[in-house]
């Protein structure tokens, strides 16, 4: 049996520093799926706090959107105390959100002047995908003739659009279920999977490609 001694150090004196936003979900400067106009988001602060946000840079008291913050000591996560909200109006290529927080939420109203507020906003940015992800071509298709069975076939897919000119991960399946298998050569806009033991017969291959923003493209070939 091993025993561990943990010490917590508390700095005496008044709290004079405003809250610090340590992390966000989605991460700052993430790219959203094409067509997304709203999304839930979370910020993590280094101390219990009340947070607000707005789509313009304003003073804390003038910000129009309050976040739902967990402020009890037992609410702390590995990266801080979470505050939750839902973002809307995400209809620009670059969407800026301004966030400010106010610490010591346990203080009564008459001690409000003792609470620290961020003087500068935390600028949170979400980018929008400019177009959908597309599957431009799938080869081979139609009737394939070869020599002796089994034959070797290279399945090739070309993609475009999405967040980075078609860079994505493609998967395939020979059935209509969700058990998709990732192409051996993927995470690009050119994808290839080699089948070395194909026997004669009819095949329908379902193909799904997905980029880092969640844009998806679906297709099938016979």
């Amino acid at each position: 049996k091993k025993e561990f001694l943990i010490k917590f150090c508390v700095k005496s004196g008044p709290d004079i520093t405003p809250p610090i936003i340590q992390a966000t979900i989605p991460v700052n400067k993430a790219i959203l799926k094409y067509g997304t106009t709203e999304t839930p988001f979370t910020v993590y602060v280094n101390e219990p706090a009340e947070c607000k946000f707005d789509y313009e840079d304003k003073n804390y008291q003038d910000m129009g959107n309050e976040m739902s913050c967990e402020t009890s000591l037992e609410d702390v996560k590995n990266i801080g105390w979470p505050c939750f909200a839902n973002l809307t109006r995400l209809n620009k290529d670059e969407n800026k959100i301004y966030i400010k927080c106010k610490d010591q939420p346990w203080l009564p109203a008459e001690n409000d002047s003792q609470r620290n507020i961020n003087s500068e906003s935390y600028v949170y940015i979400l980018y929008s995908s400019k177009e959908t992800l597309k599957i431009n071509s799938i080869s081979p298709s139609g009737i394939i003739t070869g020599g002796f069975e089994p034959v070797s076939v290279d399945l090739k897919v070309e993609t475009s659009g999405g967040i980075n000119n078609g860079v994505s991960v493609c998967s395939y399946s020979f059935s209509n279920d969700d058990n998709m298998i990732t192409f051996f050569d993927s995470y690009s806009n050119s994808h290839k999977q080699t089948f070395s033991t194909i026997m004669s017969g009819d095949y329908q291959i379902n193909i799904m490609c997905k980029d880092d923003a969640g844009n998806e493209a679906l297709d099938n070939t016979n």
Side-chain angles (χ1 to χ4, degrees), residues 163-200:
I163 64 172
N164 189 17
N165 194 30
V167 173
S168 56
V169 175
C170 290
S171 304
Y172 69 92
S173 173
F174 286 97
S175 59
N176 290 320
D177 57 29
D178 295 327
N179 296 319
M180 306 292 286
I181 302 170
T182 303
F183 277 51
F184 183 80
D185 185 3
S186 196
Y187 206 81
S188 174
N189 48 23
S190 295
H191 318 266
K192 185 175 76 171
Q193 175 68 42
T194 299
F195 302 102
S196 57
T197 57
I198 295 292
M199 307 298 289
S200 62

Side-chain angles (χ1 to χ4, degrees), residues 48-50 71 102-108 115:
E50 295 171 338
T71 58
K102 186 176 183 179
D103 70 4
Q104 305 177 83
W106 54 83
L107 289 178
R115 299 178 65 182

